[in-house]
Amino acid sequence: MAKLDAETRNLIDGKLVPASNGGEFENINPATEEVIGVSADGTKEDMESAIAAARRAFDETDWSTDHALRKRCLEQLNQALVEAREDLRQIVIAEAGSPILITYQVQVDNYIDAMPYWSNLTTSYEYETPMSDIEFMGSPQGRIMRREAVGVVGAITPWNFPLYLNLAKIGPALAAGNTVVLKPAPDTPWSATHLGRLVAEKTDIPPGVLNIVASSDHELGAMLSRDPRVDLVTFTGSTATGRAVMEAAAATVKKTFLELGGKSATIILDDIDLDLAAPMSGIAVCTHAGQGCAIQTRTLLPRARYEEGVEKIAAIMSGVAYGDPLEPGNLMGPVVSRKQQERVLSYIEKGKQDGARVVVGGGTPSHLEKGYFIEPTLLADVDPDSVVAQEEIFGPVLCVIPYEDEEDAIRIANNSIYGLSGSIWSGDIDRALSVARKIRTGTLSVNGAQWFDVDTPFGGYRQSGVGRENGVAGFEEYLETKIVAVPR
Ligand code: NAD
């Protein structure tokens, strides 16, 4: 791979800057284990400066009230993203190990192309709407509802879809008139810092409106959750860290918007052609090596057709193409780090100890000498209460579970602390829809239909999160509501 010209400095108060102490940390390509470069290792002082700059920009400039300025700036950002598209693609592939195949969809292109959705909302959204009059002590009262920016937004993102998630937070937060401090995951700093270069060099976004602080220190995320100058924290990551963010934010009663983990189920009903349904559940779990919160990682098969279903899923998982993320035919690359590789392998071991049968994979591939790869792994006969059926593995590991009847399938699907996504396969769409109404998750797909788009509110029930990302509902997460009463 050619050397990437990625930005390595942080963006603080309008300037691209090294860390305050000059520190840097290594960026590692998970497919080759090679150091591809460094990133400024943001310090606590840097985070202090970034929060102060964002506060000042919100309080002392007209960013939050000048809709035309915001529209122009976000259109410039959109144009800059379009021009930098291929650089960004290579960055995401190199630091996240993402297969190039999915960069043409959600990982890179979908969200660059989605930016006009946010820039348009700067002016098309109704920020002020009259309400119907009410009567108070005999006289009519008018009311106006205003929607205003919340203030300073702390945005904390993970490594699995780094560019998409950075843009999914920056886009609506800035469009709504907030100022932002973005702290990306340490494994994927450039998907954020490179955006800083585009903002500094290609847009009129005023200093302090967007700050980007990459760091190897997770504590900088915790600083955002605690700081009284930050009004809202938008976080995507694990449920464990989400709880920590919520707890830290409680001290200043900060609004929190959390997109967390998932353990979504595919329910294959007994009236569907298994040749249609089974392969999809095997392929889905291998996409980006299973590192997607909404990926279905449990497949529920009717007891009567269980062995047949397991065989069909095994056949497809055994043939999944994986390896070099730059190879266009590969559906999966590595997991993001040695730490994640060890974590996924330890889950497979735990599954075996708890009685699961390894039908496909189960370890690291022998044909790939370098890289944090995991074999596509099919675990059958999984106890729905066991650790592998309950905890998020975040690797290409599918748990197959038999069920007795429809009610049993719904019960097993809902037997989770999570509630993010899922899918249902049936020969009868009405039957599938009636099952969908009983599943407690934020998104569902029937017979492989796709729900994802920038205007689809996405998020979870239960411990999969609080709030919705994308769509008008997602935009409104970044707005306060003010009611002004006026005499009639
Ligand atoms: P993580 O929770 O370890 O880290 C996410 C981010 O939080 C990183 O930037 C990290 O530096 C920061 N962080 C760590 N400790 C913190 C603290 N105490 N306070 C504030 N910030 C802190 O998650 P990860 O391992 O990077 O990502 C994988 C997880 O993200 C998976 O569980 C996955 O399901 C979840 N995820 C959810 C969604 C969604 O939309 N629901 C999308 C993608 C990923």
Side-chain angles (χ1 to χ4, degrees), residues 157-160 183 218 221 235-238 241 259-260 293 392 394:
T157 51
W159 40 258
N160 56 340
K183 198 219 72 70
H218 294 302
F235 170 82
T236 297
S238 62
T241 309
E259 297 293 348
L260 309 176
C293 51
E392 187 172 48
F394 236 52

